[in-house]
Amino acid sequence: MQQLWLIPLFPLIGFLINGLFGRKLPKSAISLVAVGTVVASFLWVLKTLSAIMPLETPHIETYATWIQSGFVNIPFEFAVDRLTAVMLLVVTGIGSLIHVYATGYMAEEDGYYRFFAYLNLFMFFMLTLVLGNNYLLLFVGWEGVGLCSYLLIGFYYLKNSASTAGNKAFIVNRVGDFGFSLAMFLIVIQFKTLTFQDVMKQAAQVPVEHAVGMMTVICLLLLVGAAGKSAQVPLHVWLPDAMEGPTPVSALIHAATMVTAGVYMTCRSATIFLKAPIAMEAVAIVGLITAVLAATIGMTQWDIKKVFAYSTISQLGYMFLAAGVGAFGPAMWHVVTHAFFKALLFLGAGAVIYSMHHEQDMRHMGGLRKYIPITFGTLACAWIAIAGVPLTSGWFSKEAILGAVYHHSPIMYWIAVLTAMVTAFYVSRSMFLTFFGEFRGAAVPAAGHHGHGDEDDHGHDDHGHAVEKHDDRAHAVAHNAAHDTEPHEAPFVMWGPLAVLAALSIVGGFFDLPHFLEPALPPAEHVAHEAWLEIVGSAAGILGIVIAHIMYVAKPEMPDALTAKLGGLYRLVYDKYRVDEAYDLTIVDPLIGGSRSFLWKGLDAGLIDGMVNGAGSTARLVGGFARWIQTGNMRTYGAWVLVGAVAVLAYLGIGGGVR
């Protein structure tokens, strides 16, 4: 027993301490608890892995029977195999760096304790997701990280766009989670268990389905769940809006860890997927479409965080494409390298925003490399890694994916290569707009002002009550912002993690991760290793950089001229292909309209309120009549007795006459 339960327990303790007592603790104590518990979890992972390697078979720890009903026996148990080991190192390692960074980025926030409590809670659920040895325990972590994502996207809850984005993420993910739930029910029906080892052992004996059968349906429903969590078409619309959360959240949850849970779950279920080639093809197609659409949208965005958000969606599409063609090892390789360079891109973007006193529009930047050279140098490492420059981490994993895709479908391969060129282009575009040319920044806003009408310059609402700062950019030091109009380098607590991630972005691909994962994942059966494939893939990335340099450095007038020529096509891409508008037209507006006209006005107000109000009116009428009888006056009672007696006699007389 290596006490795996301690790995998620440490951040849970941090959540409880900061959540219950953080309001009364100094920020230094909050930081120590939040960072210390995650680092402790990372160290315990290292200690555990050193004791149980080489992990030729899973290390399993059973703590209790969770559910026992009929033939269903679901234990509460954690397990570590090589796939889990990789995810544990990524989650706790990258998570520790981002927690350190966040202590600097969020230093001026009034909701400091609340932020780190949520972030620690996320770590607990993410580690539960990774360690769980059955689909149901994985689902507990799955739902938990969704909750934390909602809380952290809407961290600035007084800002309407942030609360709306949090709701959107939560609702869209419920669609995917419904598919995942149905898949689990079918897995129980088919295999009588939810434990990974038992499910995969039985699935290996099932013949390959060349038509739609139980395995195909299970895999398609798992794909629905994975598409929701990993922001794949058509459930991708929540992730760009998630950038309303603080930048460390974007780096940890929406780039490096939570959004990769869909890829992890798909790879964990590899044996099932290999029995359902129709579902595998669906995974590949969804991934490829997502990669292309998100990459093209990324070319048109001006908000630096939105560019990297669409980049994340596109890169996740690459991972699903790899899984769909059976290259599960390369897919997980890209999960890891992407965690390095995408976390660095987001944290670097945060450092840029910090230096620019809350500006996120790249049109108001430019020439920043001379003001913030450390940030530029570290971001450049992520830049060349995601562009696929040879021998960087992103190059290794990208080429492994492209080799597998080429053997599966040359058409898919060439589309993926084109997407790689577009990726290099839009990331280079963001770098050139931000760090090259002349500085285009405007004057810095007054101290304490965050550009929102519901808060005055002193952090009070319209009624004079103090409120929490609610802008992602409130981390800038307020008393300096009014006077320091030049960009400035972030403190060491922020650029230190950038330096570590920069090193990983460069050298992190030299470890042959697919080979390491072979005991846990089926190896890719067919991977093309022709030298020309690597030349083409590398050339695509370099060509994307060159085109971006021509358009945004050598000939900066070109983008406007090209935009004018493209006209409506450019506007369509800039408007994100109007997918949100299509959802509003076909789903959101009919639901709201139907709810308002039928459920509210018709059913609630008309029928239910009508019945309740009718019963009340009847009771009021009867009570009003009884009030005239129950007066307490003896003469009135006598009169009513006389009236009653006359009525009875009249009735008897009439009755007798009839008889």
Side-chain angles (χ1 to χ4, degrees):
M1 294 287 286
Q2 295 300 320
Q3 297 175 319
L4 298 177
W5 56 274
L6 284 173
I7 297 173
L9 180 66
F10 288 125
L12 179 62
I13 293 172
F15 161 71
L16 293 173
I17 293 174
N18 281 334
L20 295 175
F21 311 110
R23 187 183 293 271
K24 298 179 181 179
L25 294 175
K27 287 185 176 179
S28 58
I30 295 170
S31 302
L32 180 62
V33 170
V35 176
T37 53
V38 177
V39 171
S41 184
F42 174 63
L43 294 176
W44 196 259
V45 168
L46 295 179
K47 180 261 182 192
T48 301
L49 294 182
S50 66
I52 63 178
M53 288 299 286
L55 277 177
E56 297 295 339
T57 58
H59 171 82
I60 301 172
E61 294 183 5
T62 303
Y63 306 113
T65 297
W66 185 9
I67 297 176
Q68 175 66 63
S69 178
F71 63 81
V72 178
N73 185 327
I74 302 177
F76 191 99
E77 62 185 13
F78 287 160
V80 177
D81 61 5
R82 293 193 177 189
L83 177 59
T84 306
V86 169
M87 290 298 294
L88 286 175
L89 289 171
V90 169
V91 173
T92 57
I94 303 295
S96 297
L97 293 172
I98 294 176
H99 274 71
V100 172
Y101 173 96
T103 60
Y105 189 89
M106 303 294 290
E108 300 302 313
E109 288 292 347
D110 292 337
Y112 193 79
Y113 79 95
R114 182 166 56 90
F115 173 83
F116 279 105
Y118 292 163
L119 212 59
N120 275 175
L121 183 63
F122 166 79
M123 292 295 294
F124 164 73
F125 280 122
M126 188 68 201
L127 291 169
T128 301
L129 185 158
V130 171
L131 284 166
N133 195 38
N134 56 67
Y135 281 101
L136 192 58
L137 195 52
L138 182 151
F139 191 67
V140 170
W142 186 278
E143 291 296 280
V145 295
L147 169 65
C148 295
S149 176
Y150 161 77
L151 293 172
L152 286 163
I153 293 171
F155 178 75
Y156 304 114
Y157 55 86
L158 295 176
K159 188 178 172 186
N160 184 61
S161 58
S163 58
T164 300
N167 291 335
K168 184 177 181 179
F170 195 80
I171 293 168
V172 172
N173 271 273
R174 297 292 69 73
V175 177
D177 295 349
F178 180 66
F180 194 178
S181 301
L182 293 179
M184 285 195 294
F185 290 136
L186 293 181
I187 289 173
V188 169
I189 292 172
Q190 178 73 16
F191 302 111
K192 306 297 189 293
T193 180
L194 287 174
T195 301
F196 292 134
Q197 291 79 24
D198 296 337
V199 170
M200 302 312 155
K201 186 181 297 183
Q202 294 182 55
Q205 307 304 316
V206 176
V208 175
E209 292 181 348
H210 297 290
V212 176
M214 178 66 84
M215 304 294 278
T216 302
V217 174
I218 289 173
C219 290
L220 290 176
L221 289 172
L222 289 176
L223 173 59
V224 173
K229 191 65 71 184
S230 296
Q232 297 295 286
V233 170
L235 301 179
H236 66 287
V237 292
W238 66 270
L239 185 55
D241 291 12
M243 297 304 105
E244 291 289 341
T247 299
V249 174
S250 304
L252 178 62
I253 297 182
H254 304 126
T257 56
M258 186 195 82
V259 292
T260 63
V263 183
Y264 166 76
M265 183 267 285
T266 302
C267 292
R268 175 62 72 191
S269 309
T271 304
I272 304 177
F273 275 93
L274 289 173
K275 301 298 181 178
I278 295 175
M280 290 276 286
E281 194 69 19
V283 172
I285 292 172
V286 167
L288 186 60
I289 292 174
T290 303
V292 173
L293 292 186
T296 54
I297 296 172
M299 293 191 297
T300 65
Q301 301 301 300
W302 296 109
D303 184 317
I304 189 170
K305 286 180 65 177
K306 286 288 181 69
V307 174
F308 296 151
Y310 281 105
S311 171
T312 300
I313 298 173
S314 181
Q315 294 300 302
L316 288 166
Y318 245 86
M319 300 170 204
F320 276 91
L321 172 61
V325 301
F328 297 102
M332 288 304 303
W333 202 3
H334 205 58
V335 165
V336 174
T337 60
H338 177 263
F340 298 153
F341 59 70
K342 186 53 60 64
L344 176 54
L345 284 173
F346 270 114
L347 295 185
V352 170
I353 295 168
Y354 181 97
S355 72
M356 287 292 295
H357 308 292
H358 12 307
E359 182 58 69
Q360 295 182 201
D361 193 323
M362 295 184 296
R363 289 170 292 189
H364 300 156
M365 299 179 186
L368 292 183
R369 55 181 173 162
K370 68 179 180 180
Y371 297 104
I372 48 175
I374 297 176
T375 300
F376 169 70
T378 54
L379 261 179
C381 296
W383 171 21
I384 61 175
I386 191 174
V389 172
L391 302 183
T392 60
S393 64
W395 178 80
F396 283 101
S397 55
K398 182 197 72 173
E399 293 303 323
I401 291 173
L402 289 176
V405 173
Y406 179 79
H407 189 279
H408 178 79
S409 168
I411 295 176
M412 284 186 168
Y413 167 80
W414 287 110
I415 297 174
V417 167
L418 180 62
T419 305
M421 185 183 72
V422 173
T423 298
F425 172 82
Y426 67 68
V427 175
S428 301
R429 169 181 176 266
S430 66
M431 293 293 292
F432 291 138
L433 285 171
T434 302
F435 292 102
F436 289 74
E438 297 298 323
F439 181 62
R440 301 179 297 274
V444 177
H449 182 66
H450 307 298
H452 298 277
D454 52 356
E455 186 180 36
D456 66 20
D457 288 350
H458 304 289
H460 297 82
D461 61 18
D462 294 335
H463 305 287
H465 301 121
V467 297
E468 285 187 344
K469 296 172 185 174
H470 56 281
D471 195 299
D472 182 24
R473 303 158 301 192
H475 58 274
V477 181
H479 69 275
N480 287 335
H483 309 290
D484 181 11
T485 58
E486 284 194 351
H488 56 85
E489 193 71 77
F492 172 75
V493 74
M494 291 174 63
W495 68 254
L498 298 184
V500 176
L501 289 170
L504 291 172
S505 296
I506 297 299
V507 305
F510 282 95
F511 181 69
D512 188 358
L513 193 63
H515 178 72
F516 173 78
L517 290 173
E518 282 184 5
L521 292 177
E525 293 184 3
H526 304 288
V527 178
H529 296 289
E530 288 87 343
W532 71 268
L533 292 176
E534 292 187 356
I535 295 174
V536 169
S538 302
I542 294 172
L543 182 60
I545 297 174
V546 171
I547 294 173
H549 184 271
I550 293 172
M551 292 181 63
Y552 293 95
V553 178
K555 297 181 179 180
E557 70 280 358
M558 280 187 64
D560 290 338
L562 184 59
T563 299
K565 286 183 179 180
L566 292 174
L569 178 60
Y570 173 84
R571 191 69 206 181
L572 177 66
V573 178
Y574 179 78
D575 290 339
K576 301 163 285 189
Y577 296 99
R578 303 193 182 105
V579 176
D580 282 296
E581 289 80 358
Y583 276 136
D584 288 340
L585 182 64
T586 59
I587 299 175
V588 178
D589 292 342
L591 279 175
I592 294 176
S595 299
R596 180 179 291 114
S597 60
F598 175 69
L599 295 178
W600 171 33
K601 295 181 179 179
L603 187 61
D604 190 6
L607 180 60
I608 298 175
D609 287 354
M611 293 172 61
V612 174
N613 294 337
S617 299
T618 303
R620 187 181 299 111
L621 179 64
V622 173
F625 176 74
R627 181 168 59 87
W628 291 102
I629 301 176
Q630 300 294 335
T631 63
N633 189 305
M634 295 300 294
R635 292 183 178 181
T636 302
Y637 290 157
W640 282 112
V641 169
L642 179 61
V643 170
V646 170
V648 170
L649 291 174
Y651 172 77
L652 293 175
I654 293 172
V658 172
R659 288 192 295 269

